[in-house]
PDB file of all heavy atoms in Angstrom:
ATOM      1  N   SER A   1     -46.314 -80.871 -36.070  1.00 97.00           N
ATOM      2  CA  SER A   1     -47.409 -81.653 -36.641  1.00 97.00           C
ATOM      3  C   SER A   1     -47.057 -83.118 -36.636  1.00 97.00           C
ATOM      4  O   SER A   1     -46.039 -83.560 -37.119  1.00 97.00           O
ATOM      5  CB  SER A   1     -47.707 -81.245 -38.062  1.00 97.00           C
ATOM      6  OG  SER A   1     -48.818 -81.959 -38.618  1.00 97.00           O
ATOM      7  N   PHE A   2     -47.837 -83.910 -35.910  1.00 98.00           N
ATOM      8  CA  PHE A   2     -47.631 -85.302 -35.783  1.00 98.00           C
ATOM      9  C   PHE A   2     -49.007 -86.006 -36.189  1.00 98.00           C
ATOM     10  O   PHE A   2     -50.113 -85.564 -35.804  1.00 98.00           O
ATOM     11  CB  PHE A   2     -47.219 -85.831 -34.481  1.00 98.00           C
ATOM     12  CG  PHE A   2     -45.864 -85.223 -33.950  1.00 98.00           C
ATOM     13  CD1 PHE A   2     -45.704 -83.861 -33.519  1.00 98.00           C
ATOM     14  CD2 PHE A   2     -44.746 -85.969 -34.195  1.00 98.00           C
ATOM     15  CE1 PHE A   2     -44.590 -83.405 -33.176  1.00 98.00           C
ATOM     16  CE2 PHE A   2     -43.530 -85.429 -33.873  1.00 98.00           C
ATOM     17  CZ  PHE A   2     -43.499 -84.121 -33.269  1.00 98.00           C
ATOM     18  N   VAL A   3     -48.787 -87.132 -36.896  1.00 98.00           N
ATOM     19  CA  VAL A   3     -50.043 -88.058 -37.204  1.00 98.00           C
ATOM     20  C   VAL A   3     -49.909 -89.237 -36.395  1.00 98.00           C
ATOM     21  O   VAL A   3     -48.936 -90.034 -36.450  1.00 98.00           O
ATOM     22  CB  VAL A   3     -49.981 -88.270 -38.763  1.00 98.00           C
ATOM     23  CG1 VAL A   3     -51.227 -89.139 -39.056  1.00 98.00           C
ATOM     24  CG2 VAL A   3     -50.139 -87.106 -39.591  1.00 98.00           C
ATOM     25  N   ILE A   4     -50.902 -89.532 -35.766  1.00 98.00           N
ATOM     26  CA  ILE A   4     -50.986 -90.808 -34.941  1.00 98.00           C
ATOM     27  C   ILE A   4     -52.157 -91.606 -35.350  1.00 98.00           C
ATOM     28  O   ILE A   4     -53.254 -91.254 -35.481  1.00 98.00           O
ATOM     29  CB  ILE A   4     -51.265 -90.589 -33.506  1.00 98.00           C
ATOM     30  CG1 ILE A   4     -50.031 -89.943 -32.824  1.00 98.00           C
ATOM     31  CG2 ILE A   4     -51.497 -91.874 -32.675  1.00 98.00           C
ATOM     32  CD1 ILE A   4     -50.026 -88.494 -32.885  1.00 98.00           C
ATOM     33  N   ASN A   5     -51.816 -92.894 -35.941  1.00 98.00           N
ATOM     34  CA  ASN A   5     -52.845 -93.804 -36.525  1.00 98.00           C
ATOM     35  C   ASN A   5     -52.979 -94.980 -35.620  1.00 98.00           C
ATOM     36  O   ASN A   5     -52.069 -95.541 -35.132  1.00 98.00           O
ATOM     37  CB  ASN A   5     -52.295 -94.289 -37.882  1.00 98.00           C
ATOM     38  CG  ASN A   5     -52.378 -93.108 -38.924  1.00 98.00           C
ATOM     39  OD1 ASN A   5     -53.153 -92.235 -38.880  1.00 98.00           O
ATOM     40  ND2 ASN A   5     -51.258 -93.184 -39.798  1.00 98.00           N
ATOM     41  N   LEU A   6     -54.309 -95.406 -35.529  1.00 98.00           N
ATOM     42  CA  LEU A   6     -54.563 -96.781 -34.980  1.00 98.00           C
ATOM     43  C   LEU A   6     -54.903 -97.625 -36.098  1.00 98.00           C
ATOM     44  O   LEU A   6     -55.709 -97.326 -37.061  1.00 98.00           O
ATOM     45  CB  LEU A   6     -55.782 -96.653 -34.045  1.00 98.00           C
ATOM     46  CG  LEU A   6     -56.310 -98.033 -33.523  1.00 98.00           C
ATOM     47  CD1 LEU A   6     -55.314 -98.660 -32.492  1.00 98.00           C
ATOM     48  CD2 LEU A   6     -57.669 -97.719 -32.782  1.00 98.00           C
ATOM     49  N   ALA A   7     -54.212 -98.771 -36.214  1.00 97.00           N
ATOM     50  CA  ALA A   7     -54.291 -99.661 -37.430  1.00 97.00           C
ATOM     51  C   ALA A   7     -54.471-101.017 -37.043  1.00 97.00           C
ATOM     52  O   ALA A   7     -54.119-101.529 -35.968  1.00 97.00           O
ATOM     53  CB  ALA A   7     -53.032 -99.399 -38.219  1.00 97.00           C
ATOM     54  N   MET A   8     -55.100-101.738 -38.033  1.00 97.00           N
ATOM     55  CA  MET A   8     -55.302-103.260 -37.980  1.00 97.00           C
ATOM     56  C   MET A   8     -53.888-103.831 -38.137  1.00 97.00           C
ATOM     57  O   MET A   8     -52.939-103.192 -38.543  1.00 97.00           O
ATOM     58  CB  MET A   8     -56.133-103.604 -39.057  1.00 97.00           C
ATOM     59  CG  MET A   8     -57.709-103.027 -38.855  1.00 97.00           C
ATOM     60  SD  MET A   8     -58.580-103.793 -37.551  1.00 97.00           S
ATOM     61  CE  MET A   8     -58.914-105.490 -38.146  1.00 97.00           C
ATOM     62  N   ASP A   9     -53.841-105.113 -37.839  1.00 95.00           N
ATOM     63  CA  ASP A   9     -52.546-105.903 -38.109  1.00 95.00           C
ATOM     64  C   ASP A   9     -52.733-106.569 -39.535  1.00 95.00           C
ATOM     65  O   ASP A   9     -53.830-107.086 -39.708  1.00 95.00           O
ATOM     66  CB  ASP A   9     -52.402-106.898 -37.096  1.00 95.00           C
ATOM     67  CG  ASP A   9     -51.082-107.790 -37.192  1.00 95.00           C
ATOM     68  OD1 ASP A   9     -49.918-107.228 -36.941  1.00 95.00           O
ATOM     69  OD2 ASP A   9     -51.182-108.872 -37.749  1.00 95.00           O
ATOM     70  N   ASN A  10     -51.702-106.471 -40.252  1.00 95.00           N
ATOM     71  CA  ASN A  10     -51.693-107.235 -41.545  1.00 95.00           C
ATOM     72  C   ASN A  10     -50.392-108.173 -41.635  1.00 95.00           C
ATOM     73  O   ASN A  10     -49.312-107.670 -41.953  1.00 95.00           O
ATOM     74  CB  ASN A  10     -51.623-106.209 -42.719  1.00 95.00           C
ATOM     75  CG  ASN A  10     -51.650-106.938 -44.062  1.00 95.00           C
ATOM     76  OD1 ASN A  10     -51.952-108.082 -44.175  1.00 95.00           O
ATOM     77  ND2 ASN A  10     -51.253-106.133 -45.065  1.00 95.00           N
ATOM     78  N   SER A  11     -50.508-109.394 -41.228  1.00 92.00           N
ATOM     79  CA  SER A  11     -49.398-110.381 -41.228  1.00 92.00           C
ATOM     80  C   SER A  11     -48.273-109.824 -40.512  1.00 92.00           C
ATOM     81  O   SER A  11     -47.104-110.016 -40.942  1.00 92.00           O
ATOM     82  CB  SER A  11     -49.076-110.637 -42.729  1.00 92.00           C
ATOM     83  OG  SER A  11     -50.246-111.233 -43.343  1.00 92.00           O
ATOM     84  N   GLY A  12     -48.480-109.312 -39.297  1.00 90.00           N
ATOM     85  CA  GLY A  12     -47.452-108.969 -38.478  1.00 90.00           C
ATOM     86  C   GLY A  12     -46.880-107.503 -38.769  1.00 90.00           C
ATOM     87  O   GLY A  12     -45.778-107.097 -38.148  1.00 90.00           O
ATOM     88  N   LEU A  13     -47.539-106.818 -39.561  1.00 91.00           N
ATOM     89  CA  LEU A  13     -47.163-105.402 -39.892  1.00 91.00           C
ATOM     90  C   LEU A  13     -48.323-104.369 -39.830  1.00 91.00           C
ATOM     91  O   LEU A  13     -49.495-105.018 -39.922  1.00 91.00           O
ATOM     92  CB  LEU A  13     -46.529-105.246 -41.280  1.00 91.00           C
ATOM     93  CG  LEU A  13     -45.017-105.862 -41.456  1.00 91.00           C
ATOM     94  CD1 LEU A  13     -44.640-105.841 -42.946  1.00 91.00           C
ATOM     95  CD2 LEU A  13     -44.086-105.114 -40.694  1.00 91.00           C
ATOM     96  N   PRO A  14     -48.249-103.203 -39.620  1.00 94.00           N
ATOM     97  CA  PRO A  14     -49.365-102.259 -39.665  1.00 94.00           C
ATOM     98  C   PRO A  14     -50.137-102.350 -40.935  1.00 94.00           C
ATOM     99  O   PRO A  14     -49.508-102.346 -42.090  1.00 94.00           O
ATOM    100  CB  PRO A  14     -48.676-100.870 -39.462  1.00 94.00           C
ATOM    101  CG  PRO A  14     -47.343-101.117 -38.780  1.00 94.00           C
ATOM    102  CD  PRO A  14     -46.848-102.441 -39.409  1.00 94.00           C
ATOM    103  N   GLY A  15     -51.507-102.479 -40.809  1.00 96.00           N
ATOM    104  CA  GLY A  15     -52.240-102.641 -41.982  1.00 96.00           C
ATOM    105  C   GLY A  15     -53.291-101.438 -42.021  1.00 96.00           C
ATOM    106  O   GLY A  15     -52.856-100.309 -42.002  1.00 96.00           O
ATOM    107  N   THR A  16     -54.502-101.850 -42.284  1.00 97.00           N
ATOM    108  CA  THR A  16     -55.611-100.788 -42.543  1.00 97.00           C
ATOM    109  C   THR A  16     -55.805 -99.755 -41.342  1.00 97.00           C
ATOM    110  O   THR A  16     -55.841-100.292 -40.243  1.00 97.00           O
ATOM    111  CB  THR A  16     -56.943-101.449 -42.883  1.00 97.00           C
ATOM    112  OG1 THR A  16     -56.731-102.345 -43.965  1.00 97.00           O
ATOM    113  CG2 THR A  16     -58.083-100.505 -43.131  1.00 97.00           C
ATOM    114  N   ILE A  17     -55.769 -98.533 -41.663  1.00 98.00           N
ATOM    115  CA  ILE A  17     -55.903 -97.533 -40.604  1.00 98.00           C
ATOM    116  C   ILE A  17     -57.380 -97.594 -40.105  1.00 98.00           C
ATOM    117  O   ILE A  17     -58.330 -97.404 -40.991  1.00 98.00           O
ATOM    118  CB  ILE A  17     -55.538 -96.188 -41.034  1.00 98.00           C
ATOM    119  CG1 ILE A  17     -53.978 -96.164 -41.252  1.00 98.00           C
ATOM    120  CG2 ILE A  17     -55.873 -95.086 -40.046  1.00 98.00           C
ATOM    121  CD1 ILE A  17     -53.545 -94.919 -41.950  1.00 98.00           C
ATOM    122  N   ILE A  18     -57.586 -97.569 -38.805  1.00 98.00           N
ATOM    123  CA  ILE A  18     -58.912 -97.620 -38.169  1.00 98.00           C
ATOM    124  C   ILE A  18     -59.355 -96.076 -37.829  1.00 98.00           C
ATOM    125  O   ILE A  18     -60.515 -95.733 -38.119  1.00 98.00           O
ATOM    126  CB  ILE A  18     -58.923 -98.392 -36.957  1.00 98.00           C
ATOM    127  CG1 ILE A  18     -58.542 -99.887 -37.291  1.00 98.00           C
ATOM    128  CG2 ILE A  18     -60.377 -98.419 -36.317  1.00 98.00           C
ATOM    129  CD1 ILE A  18     -58.349-100.789 -36.068  1.00 98.00           C
ATOM    130  N   GLU A  19     -58.434 -95.479 -37.271  1.00 98.00           N
ATOM    131  CA  GLU A  19     -58.723 -94.024 -36.940  1.00 98.00           C
ATOM    132  C   GLU A  19     -57.360 -93.168 -36.924  1.00 98.00           C
ATOM    133  O   GLU A  19     -56.335 -93.694 -36.534  1.00 98.00           O
ATOM    134  CB  GLU A  19     -59.327 -93.984 -35.484  1.00 98.00           C
ATOM    135  CG  GLU A  19     -59.816 -92.499 -35.128  1.00 98.00           C
ATOM    136  CD  GLU A  19     -60.748 -92.449 -34.048  1.00 98.00           C
ATOM    137  OE1 GLU A  19     -60.934 -93.420 -33.316  1.00 98.00           O
ATOM    138  OE2 GLU A  19     -61.239 -91.310 -33.717  1.00 98.00           O
ATOM    139  N   THR A  20     -57.493 -91.946 -37.302  1.00 98.00           N
ATOM    140  CA  THR A  20     -56.303 -91.015 -37.333  1.00 98.00           C
ATOM    141  C   THR A  20     -56.437 -89.809 -36.438  1.00 98.00           C
ATOM    142  O   THR A  20     -57.644 -89.299 -36.376  1.00 98.00           O
ATOM    143  CB  THR A  20     -56.084 -90.408 -38.786  1.00 98.00           C
ATOM    144  OG1 THR A  20     -55.781 -91.644 -39.601  1.00 98.00           O
ATOM    145  CG2 THR A  20     -54.986 -89.541 -38.930  1.00 98.00           C
ATOM    146  N   PHE A  21     -55.479 -89.442 -35.710  1.00 98.00           N
ATOM    147  CA  PHE A  21     -55.426 -88.292 -34.888  1.00 98.00           C
ATOM    148  C   PHE A  21     -54.327 -87.421 -35.264  1.00 98.00           C
ATOM    149  O   PHE A  21     -53.313 -87.798 -35.733  1.00 98.00           O
ATOM    150  CB  PHE A  21     -55.164 -88.671 -33.397  1.00 98.00           C
ATOM    151  CG  PHE A  21     -56.097 -89.758 -32.929  1.00 98.00           C
ATOM    152  CD1 PHE A  21     -55.911 -91.038 -33.139  1.00 98.00           C
ATOM    153  CD2 PHE A  21     -57.197 -89.403 -32.243  1.00 98.00           C
ATOM    154  CE1 PHE A  21     -56.731 -92.094 -32.683  1.00 98.00           C
ATOM    155  CE2 PHE A  21     -58.047 -90.354 -31.713  1.00 98.00           C
ATOM    156  CZ  PHE A  21     -57.799 -91.631 -31.837  1.00 98.00           C
ATOM    157  N   ILE A  22     -54.588 -86.052 -35.384  1.00 98.00           N
ATOM    158  CA  ILE A  22     -53.553 -85.148 -35.706  1.00 98.00           C
ATOM    159  C   ILE A  22     -53.241 -84.199 -34.451  1.00 98.00           C
ATOM    160  O   ILE A  22     -54.111 -83.597 -33.821  1.00 98.00           O
ATOM    161  CB  ILE A  22     -54.129 -84.049 -36.816  1.00 98.00           C
ATOM    162  CG1 ILE A  22     -54.605 -84.902 -38.042  1.00 98.00           C
ATOM    163  CG2 ILE A  22     -52.970 -83.221 -37.280  1.00 98.00           C
ATOM    164  CD1 ILE A  22     -53.532 -85.726 -38.749  1.00 98.00           C
ATOM    165  N   LEU A  23     -51.882 -84.086 -34.286  1.00 97.00           N
ATOM    166  CA  LEU A  23     -51.498 -83.161 -33.072  1.00 97.00           C
ATOM    167  C   LEU A  23     -50.689 -82.021 -33.744  1.00 97.00           C
ATOM    168  O   LEU A  23     -49.752 -82.267 -34.563  1.00 97.00           O
ATOM    169  CB  LEU A  23     -50.687 -83.940 -32.125  1.00 97.00           C
ATOM    170  CG  LEU A  23     -51.362 -84.907 -31.130  1.00 97.00           C
ATOM    171  CD1 LEU A  23     -50.387 -85.730 -30.314  1.00 97.00           C
ATOM    172  CD2 LEU A  23     -52.341 -84.077 -30.296  1.00 97.00           C
ATOM    173  N   ALA A  24     -50.987 -80.803 -33.360  1.00 95.00           N
ATOM    174  CA  ALA A  24     -50.293 -79.636 -33.927  1.00 95.00           C
ATOM    175  C   ALA A  24     -49.763 -78.729 -32.749  1.00 95.00           C
ATOM    176  O   ALA A  24     -49.263 -77.635 -33.106  1.00 95.00           O
ATOM    177  CB  ALA A  24     -51.149 -78.898 -34.794  1.00 95.00           C
ATOM    178  N   ASP A  25     -49.693 -79.112 -31.553  1.00 94.00           N
ATOM    179  CA  ASP A  25     -49.236 -78.243 -30.458  1.00 94.00           C
ATOM    180  C   ASP A  25     -48.476 -79.070 -29.454  1.00 94.00           C
ATOM    181  O   ASP A  25     -48.503 -78.865 -28.215  1.00 94.00           O
ATOM    182  CB  ASP A  25     -50.505 -77.631 -29.854  1.00 94.00           C
ATOM    183  CG  ASP A  25     -51.451 -78.721 -29.238  1.00 94.00           C
ATOM    184  OD1 ASP A  25     -51.270 -79.903 -29.439  1.00 94.00           O
ATOM    185  OD2 ASP A  25     -52.517 -78.276 -28.484  1.00 94.00           O
ATOM    186  N   VAL A  26     -47.618 -79.986 -29.933  1.00 97.00           N
ATOM    187  CA  VAL A  26     -46.839 -80.782 -29.031  1.00 97.00           C
ATOM    188  C   VAL A  26     -45.638 -79.846 -28.428  1.00 97.00           C
ATOM    189  O   VAL A  26     -45.041 -79.232 -29.222  1.00 97.00           O
ATOM    190  CB  VAL A  26     -46.194 -81.873 -29.766  1.00 97.00           C
ATOM    191  CG1 VAL A  26     -45.196 -82.777 -28.875  1.00 97.00           C
ATOM    192  CG2 VAL A  26     -47.261 -82.923 -30.147  1.00 97.00           C
ATOM    193  N   PRO A  27     -45.433 -79.791 -27.123  1.00 97.00           N
ATOM    194  CA  PRO A  27     -44.479 -78.849 -26.573  1.00 97.00           C
ATOM    195  C   PRO A  27     -43.084 -79.369 -26.770  1.00 97.00           C
ATOM    196  O   PRO A  27     -42.788 -80.475 -27.223  1.00 97.00           O
ATOM    197  CB  PRO A  27     -44.754 -78.815 -25.084  1.00 97.00           C
ATOM    198  CG  PRO A  27     -45.473 -80.200 -24.798  1.00 97.00           C
ATOM    199  CD  PRO A  27     -46.197 -80.423 -26.070  1.00 97.00           C
ATOM    200  N   SER A  28     -42.081 -78.468 -26.498  1.00 96.00           N
ATOM    201  CA  SER A  28     -40.694 -78.835 -26.585  1.00 96.00           C
ATOM    202  C   SER A  28     -40.099 -79.590 -25.457  1.00 96.00           C
ATOM    203  O   SER A  28     -38.942 -79.640 -25.240  1.00 96.00           O
ATOM    204  CB  SER A  28     -39.888 -77.598 -26.939  1.00 96.00           C
ATOM    205  OG  SER A  28     -40.066 -76.637 -25.878  1.00 96.00           O
ATOM    206  N   PHE A  29     -40.978 -80.097 -24.633  1.00 95.00           N
ATOM    207  CA  PHE A  29     -40.494 -80.938 -23.581  1.00 95.00           C
ATOM    208  C   PHE A  29     -41.517 -82.215 -23.511  1.00 95.00           C
ATOM    209  O   PHE A  29     -42.595 -82.034 -23.983  1.00 95.00           O
ATOM    210  CB  PHE A  29     -40.568 -80.113 -22.217  1.00 95.00           C
ATOM    211  CG  PHE A  29     -41.841 -79.525 -21.890  1.00 95.00           C
ATOM    212  CD1 PHE A  29     -42.815 -80.200 -21.195  1.00 95.00           C
ATOM    213  CD2 PHE A  29     -42.095 -78.243 -22.324  1.00 95.00           C
ATOM    214  CE1 PHE A  29     -44.116 -79.546 -20.954  1.00 95.00           C
ATOM    215  CE2 PHE A  29     -43.260 -77.587 -22.125  1.00 95.00           C
ATOM    216  CZ  PHE A  29     -44.303 -78.329 -21.387  1.00 95.00           C
ATOM    217  N   GLN A  30     -40.971 -83.366 -22.891  1.00 95.00           N
ATOM    218  CA  GLN A  30     -41.829 -84.507 -23.016  1.00 95.00           C
ATOM    219  C   GLN A  30     -43.071 -84.386 -22.172  1.00 95.00           C
ATOM    220  O   GLN A  30     -43.071 -83.840 -21.026  1.00 95.00           O
ATOM    221  CB  GLN A  30     -40.958 -85.660 -22.305  1.00 95.00           C
ATOM    222  CG  GLN A  30     -39.572 -85.958 -23.033  1.00 95.00           C
ATOM    223  CD  GLN A  30     -38.474 -85.343 -22.200  1.00 95.00           C
ATOM    224  OE1 GLN A  30     -38.589 -84.195 -21.732  1.00 95.00           O
ATOM    225  NE2 GLN A  30     -37.371 -86.128 -22.127  1.00 95.00           N
ATOM    226  N   THR A  31     -44.168 -84.680 -22.735  1.00 96.00           N
ATOM    227  CA  THR A  31     -45.474 -84.521 -22.070  1.00 96.00           C
ATOM    228  C   THR A  31     -46.416 -85.563 -22.702  1.00 96.00           C
ATOM    229  O   THR A  31     -46.187 -86.048 -23.780  1.00 96.00           O
ATOM    230  CB  THR A  31     -45.975 -83.207 -22.357  1.00 96.00           C
ATOM    231  OG1 THR A  31     -47.192 -83.050 -21.530  1.00 96.00           O
ATOM    232  CG2 THR A  31     -46.437 -82.914 -23.779  1.00 96.00           C
ATOM    233  N   ILE A  32     -47.289 -85.945 -21.834  1.00 98.00           N
ATOM    234  CA  ILE A  32     -48.315 -87.038 -22.277  1.00 98.00           C
ATOM    235  C   ILE A  32     -49.482 -86.364 -22.934  1.00 98.00           C
ATOM    236  O   ILE A  32     -50.099 -85.426 -22.360  1.00 98.00           O
ATOM    237  CB  ILE A  32     -48.805 -87.782 -20.961  1.00 98.00           C
ATOM    238  CG1 ILE A  32     -47.682 -88.631 -20.374  1.00 98.00           C
ATOM    239  CG2 ILE A  32     -49.898 -88.808 -21.472  1.00 98.00           C
ATOM    240  CD1 ILE A  32     -48.128 -89.294 -19.074  1.00 98.00           C
TER     241      ILE A  32
END
């Protein structure tokens, strides 16, 4: 389970989250 967030910038650091994606089937080998 991985959470990927797209966020605004807040003074050079991640800020308010714009959209969230949840992945639950990432394979055991590198894949896009």
Side-chain angles (χ1 to χ4, degrees):
S1 179
F2 296 85
V3 178
I4 293 88
N5 293 322
L6 175 66
M8 301 285 289
D9 181 82
N10 181 20
S11 301
L13 287 172
T16 303
I17 294 173
I18 303 172
E19 187 168 8
T20 296
F21 306 86
I22 306 295
L23 285 175
D25 56 355
V26 176
S28 58
F29 54 89
Q30 303 100 317
T31 187
I32 298 175

